[in-house]
Structures are given as structure tokens and as C-alpha cells.
Amino acid sequence: FTDRKGKTPRRPGQRKQCNIEKDPVGVYCRIRPLGTEDEECCIEMISSSTIQLHAPDGLKANRNGEYKETQYSFKKVFGVNTTQIELFEDVGKLLIEDLIQCKNGLLFTYGVTGSGKTYTMTGSPGEGGLLPRSLDMLFNSIGPFQTKRFVFKPDDKNGMEIQSQVDALLERQKRDSQQSVSKIPSSRQKADPEIADMISSDDACKVENVDEDSCYSVFVSYIEIYNNYIYDLLEDAPFDPIRPKPPQSKILREDQNHNMYVAGCTEIEVKSTEEAFEVFWKGQKKRRIANTQLNRESSRSHSVFTLKLVQAPLDADGDHILQDKNQVNVSQLCLVDLAGSERTNRTRAEGSRLREAGNINQSLMTLRTCMEVLRENQMCGTNKMVPYRDSKVTHLFKNYFDGEGKVRMVVCVNPKADDYEETIQVMRFAEMTQEVEVPRPVDRPICGVAAGRRHRNQAFRDELSPIPPCELVDPADDQMLPRLIEVLQRRHHTRQMIIEEFNKTANTVNSMLQQFDSQLSSKGNFLHDQQSKLSEKDKVIVSQKTEIERLEKKSKTLEYKIDILQKTTDMYEQDKRTLQHELETRDHRLHRELSDRRRIEQHMQGMVTDTRLKWEKECERRVNAKQLEMQNKLWVKDEKLKQLKAIVTESSPAQRPERPTRERDGNIAQKRSASPSPLPTPYPPASTSSSTSSSAYPSVASCISKWEQRVPVDSRSQARQPGTPQYRTQTPAPCQSTSSMGRRKGQRWAPDTEAPTTPLVYGLNLEAGTRVSVFHPIHRRSHSAGGEKWVDHKPSSNLDVDTVMQPIIPNAIKVSTPNEKALSKCHKYVLRHQELASDGEIETKLIKGNVFKTRGGGQAVQFTDIETLRQECPTAPSRKRRSGSAERPAHVKNKVIVKTMLILSCHINV
């Protein structure tokens, strides 16, 4: 036979059952007593199901250093005074009852190293733990119903086989012949004194509802998981003193029912509590323990002691086991003592001890991860894969969490202050485990043979007296035959009594059957009457059914007509809604077109009005310009005529008329409207003595010399000639008289300075007959200029008008968007705002304010003033008088403005 299974067979997908009953994992807590009374305690038992943890002195429970208390609830909490029997009554007794009822169970202890896990599981002399008490209860319950040895035999595939009586007898004889070298302790041998008084007779308990028609047999196995390897503690390996071999690790396999088991593990059949506990003690001596800083005998591995109960029903006679392998039920209870989690900084482990601690903590962490994934899948409805295979512990017991039995956990805690941080982690794991639900195991079917077989067989045997030995040694023996005859007669009498009892019972049964027959006949007659009534009722029901069918057909016809009418109504309603929507759409379109037409008409009227005003202004401007041009030409001609008249008058002094007085000249000048009068002289008139010495009319030479003396000494005016680039300015300034310009610039008259070759009179070139515009840019300081620092807020949407006069703010921070950093550095704020004026020109407003700090640490602006910058056409009438307007006639001013084209003036209004 070759084993061709190279890998664990894949488990087929199970169908999801809708109504699966689930039970939460039962978690209990046991508190270990303190070593000394002076030792500080960090655990307080609040009630029978709640404990409270408080941080010891000198330990900060959280980052703030405040006192922090935490409460945890369990199914039941066992205090320091709890006895082993009380613990077993609440935890282990129900598992033994389920074991006898063919249900699996898992019980494991969990906690920090030195918290009392091994004591809870094993106990001490006189105070047996969960394991010895479970064995005692099991054997007390099934003791009288156990089979002989070797009737059941393991098949090395996690199953059991039934051997015939002959094979079982041969196995027993072979065992008896090897009693001298037997390795399996017998129940008749004297027990180990260390474990002899584990359980007293007063604490013995048993299960009452045991099936007496079945035969039972108990098999035990004991393994340990060390460094994530599985070792058999009951294996008797040959010992070689020369070259000792280390024990071989076992592997996990999956049986045909998809249950995990340890392949090749030793399973020993035991018949009593003492024998089973001796087997356990034998394996316990091989378990790996070590001395650490926290525990003198610290378990370095996880131990698993398995109780496997095999039961099979008796045959119909109640004498032998039913030879049917399908009727054999195997249930098991795993008692697991997990190694304690520990921190290396406390145990100061090194070398192999450090590696052992790392593997222990890793396996416990895997167990915690599996519990977290199970809880998440159950709470959130997810289907995440549970990492059972990451550790041998979780892989071995994954069937229990999938619904193969009940799961119980005893959390052992040490209340001393040094274990406070580890105890918090244990409590969190226990609290999370309680939220995991395990499917409830399903009851297995019971054999269909009548009950009470064993009792009847035993009663029959008790009634038949045994036949004495029938050996006749002496022919003269007259006692044997009478005794034999007496026994046979008694047996015959007993048989007769049994026959009579059987006949009585048969008669009773026959009478009962006859009574039942009569009752059945009466019942039959009653049923016949009821059937006739039912037939009548059936006819009525048939007639009613036909009427109902007719009404249903009529109802369906009416419903069909209603559906047609409803569809027609819906169609009309849809058409109505469509037409209404179309009508509303057309109304909206018509209103929109009317509004568009009105808007277009208004726009066209505005355009016509703007165009008419524009052409009116343009015509007026052209007329004024032409009028000024003609006036200038007329004025030039008039001046030439005056000069010519002066020359002619000087050439003939005898015929010169008397010069009129100054008042008369003024009146004549006012009467002349064709040519404007010249500007008045800024100097006082000449003395009377000079006028008396000369003639009444001045000569041409004297007039020319006077005009030349009026020109100021200015290097820039001397250097500039008509036609040079300085005269071709893009934005000319208003032209003023030479006298006024001299006074503004602070210049003086120099009579000794040479006059230019071409004399300039009021900005006119007399030789060329044209007028030259004089450009003198005048800078005016804005009201915003000062010693303070300004925030010059000029939005990016503003336009540059490129005019000559622009506000200049020195020592300012220019920004396009105000920010807190700029406001914090300045004391003043100005905003340049542009908008269209009523005449269509761009108007710039300077909105000024003071910057001050607020209580919240920010900046605020309080506006105090507004300056307006506006572009105006010089030909338009103005309310303000310009400088020199009082000294110059209106027609001269208009002449100057015509030659300078368009002047952009900046008026600052506060």
C-alpha cells in the first residue's frame, strides 16, 4: 500500500446554512492570589462577572498622567478564594456532558507567564485541576458500560475500527504475555503517590443520562507544540546511549471529515481515572519547562491533552457490539495549556530561551489575529480568509471555530503591579474573543434499535441459575444427580413462568389489539360518515369554485378594460402636458423676443443719441477751431498793419496826428473784436519824461527793442528752435505768456542779453506766420504724498491713461491685492478706482484711509478722504478759472488753445 496523498486534500466548499445557531466563546477569568500581603494589587473584583484594573503607583496609565481605571466583563469571574471543584462545576462539567453526547469540546487556559495556567489545568495533590476532574467524571459515568480492551482500534486516520472478539482476545493475550516489559501502566498497579490523592471521593461526580445500550472506550493522547513544531509526549522511542536522537516532529493532516489531526500520534486506551492520569503524568515529565526570572517552572511549549471517547451501540440481543463501522461515534475533548506570553526585558532571556519566547509570542499573536478576523467577518459580513495556517496551534483547532464543538477559555491573571501592562493586553484579547460566535454542533443520529437491550439481557441472565459442574467421579455419588435434577427442575420452572408471563403478555397485547381493532372499526365508520359529509361539502366547494372562476374571469375582463381606459387617459394626459409645455415654451420665446426687441431698440436709440451728440461736439469743435484760426490770421495781419502804419507815421513826422490817451486806446481796443489786444506788460510804464522827449507815436526800432527786452534769459528757450523735436510733444501743455512763465519759474529779465534772431511774441513766429506751442510740464504734489508709508492698491483691471499729470506717491508699497503683510508695514492706504464719467471719459478716484491694528491682531482700514482725477476737454466750458485768465482776453486764450490741440488737465478735488 502506497500513500499517494502528497498534500492535505482541499476542503470542498460548504453550503451556507441560513438558520445556523451560534454560541459565543465562553470566556472565564480566574484571579491568582498574591504572593505576599505587602505586594501591590492592580485588579479588583467588582462582581461575579466584572473586574476592574487600576494603574499601580508610579505608572502613568495614559499620556496625561491621570489615574485611569478600566472594567472588563466575563461570563464568570473566579476570585482568589475559588476552589478547583467550583471552577470545574462551571467550566468543565458541561464539556464532559457534551462529550458523552457525541459533541466535541475545546478548553484552553490563557494568560501571562506565572498567572496560574498550569495549576488551573493540572492542579496539585489534594486539589486536582480541570484535567483530572474531567477524567474522573468521565470514568464515573461510563465505568459499567466500558468495553474490553482492543475492541476498538485506531486506524491511524483519525478514525476507529471495530475488531472481532477473536482479534480482541488475541490482542489482550499478547498484552498479558508482555506484562513483564509492559510500557502501558495497568489500572491494577499501584498509583504514583504524587497523583494518588488528586481527587477525593466526596468531589466525585457523574453524568446521569448515559446511554446504557452503548459500549464506550476512552483513548488519550498528549502532544506539545514547541517552537512551532509538534512532538508526541507519549511516544516510546528507543534510546541510544551512544548516539541519542532528538524526537521527531509530527505533521498535521486532514481526515475524510475535514477535521485536523496529528498524524502518527500515540493513542492509548485507558480504563480508569488513575490509569489515564498516570499516562498524562508520564508525558508531563517530558514536557519542556525552564527556570526564568518570572517563573521557576515556566512552560516553554503549548501542551494539548486529548480525551477521545468512542461509543458504539449493542446489537438487538444486547450482548455484543453492533459490527457496523458507520454506527461508531467518536467525540473528543482537547485540554490545552498555552504557554504564557512574556517580555524579554523582564525575563532577560538569552539564546534558546529568547527564541522560545519569540515563538510563543508569535503563536499567541496568530491566535489573536484569527480571533480578530473571525469577529470582523461576523460583525461586518465580510469573507476574509482566517490565517489558521500561520501557527500550528490555530491550524490544529480551526475545526472548533468552524462549528465542530464548543470553545471555552479560562483567562488566568496575576494581580501584582509588575504584570499590569501584560494583563491589559490579556484583557483586551479576552474581551475581543467573547464577541466571536462559534456555530453550535449538530446532534448525531442514534441507532434505530429498540432501547433497553442491555437491561433485558442482564435480567435474563440473572433469572437463569447457573448449572453446577456435572462430573461424576464416584458411582456411588447420590448427591450430584439430585442436585442436577433440582437445578434443571428450577430452570424448567423458571422457563414455564417466563412462558406463562409471555402468554399473559401476549394475551394482554391481543386484547389490546382487539380493542384497538374495534376502535379502528368505529373510527372507520366515523371516517366514512365524515367522508360522505366531505363529499357533499366538496360538491358545494366545486360549485362555489365555478362561481368564483366566473367572477374572476369577469373581474379580469373589467380589469383589462380599466387598463385600456387608463392607458388612453395617460396618453391624453401626456399629449395635454406636451401641448402645455410647447405653449409655455412658445410664450417664453415670444416674451424673450419682445424683451430682446425692446432692448435692441433702446440700444439703437442710445447709439443714435450718442452719435448725434458726438457729431455735434465734433462740428462745434471744428467750427471753434476754424474760428480761432481765422481770428489768429486776422490778428497777425492787424499786427503787421500796425507795424506798417508805425513805419509810415515815423517816416512823415510832420503829418503824424496827436497820439490818443491811454483811456482812448483802451476804448478802441475794446471796440475791436476782430483782433485781440496784446497782453499787458508786466513792468510799469515808462516815465513821463521819456514820453515827453519823444514823439507821440513810438518808432519801429523802439517797439522791436521793447519786445526783445521782454524775452527772458533762458538757455533752454534759446536752444530750442521751431521745428526741433522738443516742440513735437505728444501731449502739449497749455500755452502761457512769457511774463507769467518767468514769474512761475523764478526767472529774471536780462536787458543786456541778446534776443533770438527770430522774435517771439506771445508764442508766435512773426517771420513764418505760425504759432509755436510752448511746453512747460508743471508737477503738482498729490495730497497723498507725505512722510508716512502708503499702501498703493492699484487693481490689475485698471487702465493706464498715459496723461501728463499723474499722482506720484513716494515711499509706497504697490500691490494689486491687499494683504496683511503689506498693511502691517504701512500707516496709510489708498485705492485707485476707475469708472466711466457722465461724459464717457475715464474717471479715477483715490480713496484714502488710515491703517490701524485690531484687538485680534489683524489690520483694519478707516477711510477718510476721496480725490477725483478726471480728463476734460479744454474747449468745454469750465467753472474754474485758470491762471492768467484775468490778465488775458478771451479771444487770445482761445487762440492759444487751438494751437496746442487737446490739453489733459488733472483737477484734484478733496
Side-chain angles (χ1 to χ4, degrees), residues 233-488:
L233 297 177
L234 302 180
E235 185 179 14
D236 292 328
F239 179 71
D240 189 357
I242 300 176
R243 299 182 64 183
K245 295 181 179 180
Q248 297 295 323
S249 62
K250 305 296 181 180
I251 60 175
L252 292 176
R253 289 191 181 275
E254 193 173 15
D255 62 5
Q256 60 181 358
N257 296 324
H258 310 293
N259 295 322
M260 302 305 301
Y261 71 98
V262 180
C265 180
T266 303
E267 294 181 351
I268 301 176
E269 186 177 8
V270 291
K271 295 299 179 182
S272 64
T273 304
E274 292 78 10
E275 184 179 355
F277 199 73
E278 284 181 3
V279 173
F280 165 76
W281 200 253
K282 174 186 174 183
Q284 184 72 7
K285 293 179 180 179
K286 294 182 181 181
R287 188 181 176 189
R288 291 173 173 84
I289 59 175
N291 184 11
T292 63
Q293 294 288 334
L294 301 179
N295 193 357
R296 186 177 61 183
E297 295 182 357
S298 176
S299 302
R300 314 309 295 168
S301 63
H302 310 296
S303 65
V304 181
F305 186 79
T306 305
L307 286 173
K308 187 175 291 186
L309 179 63
V310 186
Q311 53 182 323
L314 295 173
D315 55 8
D317 297 334
D319 193 12
H320 302 288
I321 296 176
L322 188 65
Q323 296 292 325
D324 187 3
K325 188 177 180 180
N326 295 327
Q327 296 294 335
V328 178
N329 291 325
V330 180
S331 57
Q332 63 182 10
L333 172 63
C334 295
L335 303 173
V336 185
D337 182 14
L338 296 176
S341 60
E342 58 186 22
R343 293 188 178 182
T344 55
N345 58 354
R346 295 185 60 198
T347 58
R348 299 178 184 177
E350 297 178 355
S352 61
R353 296 290 173 266
L354 182 60
R355 184 164 59 92
E356 292 169 359
N359 290 320
I360 291 171
N361 294 334
Q362 181 63 33
S363 61
L364 296 177
M365 183 61 67
T366 303
L367 177 62
R368 181 170 185 169
T369 304
C370 293
M371 293 295 180
E372 289 177 352
V373 176
L374 282 172
R375 184 185 64 171
E376 183 179 357
N377 289 341
Q378 293 172 5
M379 288 183 150
C380 304
T382 57
N383 193 18
K384 292 185 179 180
M385 185 184 69
V386 184
Y388 289 121
R389 293 178 179 268
D390 292 350
S391 175
K392 290 293 192 299
V393 177
T394 54
H395 194 193
L396 179 60
F397 300 121
K398 76 181 190 67
N399 304 107
Y400 292 94
F401 298 106
D402 291 340
E404 292 296 334
K406 291 185 178 180
V407 181
R408 297 288 183 268
M409 181 175 71
V410 179
V411 177
C412 301
V413 293
N414 194 342
K416 66 179 182 179
D418 296 338
D419 292 345
Y420 174 74
E421 295 181 356
E422 290 87 346
T423 303
I424 287 181
Q425 300 298 328
V426 171
M427 292 294 107
R428 290 175 181 172
F429 171 70
E431 188 176 29
M432 177 193 61
T433 306
Q434 291 183 105
E435 299 177 359
V436 177
E437 293 182 348
V438 178
R440 185 177 299 175
V442 182
D443 295 333
R444 299 182 183 181
I446 304 174
C447 179
V449 185
R453 302 183 299 276
R454 184 189 294 272
H455 180 68
R456 289 197 303 270
N457 187 19
Q458 187 64 32
F460 180 74
R461 288 182 180 181
D462 293 340
E463 290 177 357
L464 295 178
S465 58
I467 299 176
C470 302
E471 296 181 1
L472 296 175
V473 182
D474 189 3
D477 189 1
D478 56 352
Q479 295 181 0
M480 178 59 66
L481 291 176
R483 189 183 304 116
L484 181 60
I485 291 170
E486 183 182 359
V487 171
L488 292 175

Side-chain angles (χ1 to χ4, degrees), residues 144-159:
F145 311 118
Q146 293 190 72
T147 62
K148 295 181 180 180
R149 292 183 186 274
F150 304 112
V151 174
F152 297 104
K153 182 180 180 181
D155 60 353
D156 296 332
K157 295 180 182 179
N158 203 30

Side-chain angles (χ1 to χ4, degrees), residues 451-586:
R453 302 183 299 276
R454 184 189 294 272
H455 180 68
R456 289 197 303 270
N457 187 19
Q458 187 64 32
F460 180 74
R461 288 182 180 181
D462 293 340
E463 290 177 357
L464 295 178
S465 58
I467 299 176
C470 302
E471 296 181 1
L472 296 175
V473 182
D474 189 3
D477 189 1
D478 56 352
Q479 295 181 0
M480 178 59 66
L481 291 176
R483 189 183 304 116
L484 181 60
I485 291 170
E486 183 182 359
V487 171
L488 292 175
Q489 288 178 353
R490 190 164 50 250
R491 289 174 65 91
H492 179 70
H493 180 69
T494 303
R495 188 179 295 273
Q496 291 296 328
M497 289 177 61
I498 292 174
I499 291 172
E500 289 177 0
E501 185 178 356
F502 174 75
N503 291 331
K504 289 181 181 179
T505 305
N507 293 331
T508 305
V509 171
N510 288 330
S511 63
M512 292 176 64
L513 288 175
Q514 290 176 0
Q515 186 179 359
F516 287 153
D517 288 339
S518 63
Q519 290 179 359
L520 284 175
S521 62
S522 62
K523 294 286 184 183
N525 295 331
F526 178 75
L527 288 175
H528 182 70
D529 296 337
Q530 294 295 329
Q531 285 178 357
S532 62
K533 292 181 180 179
L534 284 175
S535 61
E536 294 177 359
K537 296 290 184 184
D538 289 338
K539 293 179 181 179
V540 176
I541 290 172
V542 169
S543 62
Q544 290 180 354
K545 282 184 178 179
T546 55
E547 182 68 18
I548 290 172
E549 289 178 356
R550 187 183 64 81
L551 294 175
E552 285 180 352
K553 290 181 180 178
K554 186 177 180 180
S555 175
K556 288 182 179 178
T557 305
L558 294 176
E559 288 178 356
Y560 179 71
K561 292 181 179 179
I562 291 172
D563 291 339
I564 293 175
L565 293 175
Q566 185 67 34
K567 289 181 180 178
T568 306
T569 305
D570 294 340
M571 184 174 61
Y572 287 152
E573 289 290 337
Q574 183 67 26
D575 293 342
K576 179 181 177 182
R577 286 194 294 269
T578 304
L579 293 175
Q580 286 181 352
H581 180 69
E582 186 177 357
L583 182 60
E584 291 176 357
T585 305
R586 291 185 178 182

Side-chain angles (χ1 to χ4, degrees), residues 186-248:
S186 175
S187 60
R188 299 178 181 177
Q189 296 176 357
K190 189 175 181 180
D192 191 342
E194 294 183 0
I195 60 175
D197 56 348
M198 275 284 184
I199 303 172
S200 62
S201 58
D202 298 336
D203 298 339
C205 55
K206 60 182 295 186
V207 180
E208 299 298 336
N209 53 347
V210 179
D211 187 10
E212 297 180 357
D213 294 329
S214 298
C215 292
Y216 300 89
S217 184
V218 180
F219 291 82
V220 296
S221 61
Y222 197 19
I223 63 171
E224 72 170 353
I225 302 175
Y226 176 73
N227 289 338
N228 210 24
Y229 290 99
I230 301 175
Y231 298 99
D232 187 3
L233 297 177
L234 302 180
E235 185 179 14
D236 292 328
F239 179 71
D240 189 357
I242 300 176
R243 299 182 64 183
K245 295 181 179 180
Q248 297 295 323

Side-chain angles (χ1 to χ4, degrees), residues 778-828:
I778 299 174
H779 173 66
R780 177 182 178 185
R781 289 177 58 85
S782 171
H783 289 187
S784 301
E788 301 88 353
K789 292 193 67 175
W790 288 78
V791 175
D792 189 0
H793 179 193
K794 181 179 181 182
S796 57
S797 59
N798 285 13
L799 300 176
D800 292 332
V801 295
D802 292 332
T803 57
V804 174
M805 300 184 67
Q806 288 293 326
I808 300 175
I809 306 176
N811 198 16
I813 299 176
K814 296 184 178 181
V815 294
S816 60
T817 303
N819 50 46
E820 186 177 359
K821 183 177 179 181
L823 291 172
S824 63
K825 296 181 179 180
C826 301
H827 306 284
K828 299 289 185 178

Side-chain angles (χ1 to χ4, degrees), residues 106 113 193 211 244 312 316 325 435 438 445 478 605 631 654 746 774 793 847-848 894:
L106 172 63
T113 180
D211 187 10
K325 188 177 180 180
E435 299 177 359
V438 178
D478 56 352
Q605 290 178 0
Q631 288 179 358
V774 183
H793 179 193
I847 305 172
K848 298 186 294 181
N894 291 336

Side-chain angles (χ1 to χ4, degrees), residues 125-188:
E127 290 290 336
L130 295 174
L131 190 146
R133 293 184 185 277
S134 299
L135 292 173
D136 184 66
M137 182 177 179
L138 178 62
F139 283 106
N140 290 339
S141 302
I142 65 170
F145 311 118
Q146 293 190 72
T147 62
K148 295 181 180 180
R149 292 183 186 274
F150 304 112
V151 174
F152 297 104
K153 182 180 180 181
D155 60 353
D156 296 332
K157 295 180 182 179
N158 203 30
M160 288 292 171
E161 295 178 350
I162 302 176
Q163 294 193 118
S164 62
Q165 297 182 8
V166 177
D167 295 338
L169 180 61
L170 291 176
E171 290 283 348
R172 288 193 295 271
Q173 289 177 357
K174 182 179 179 181
R175 176 180 176 275
D176 293 338
S177 63
Q178 295 177 356
Q179 281 294 332
S180 58
V181 290
S182 177
K183 298 179 181 179
I184 302 176
S186 175
S187 60
R188 299 178 181 177

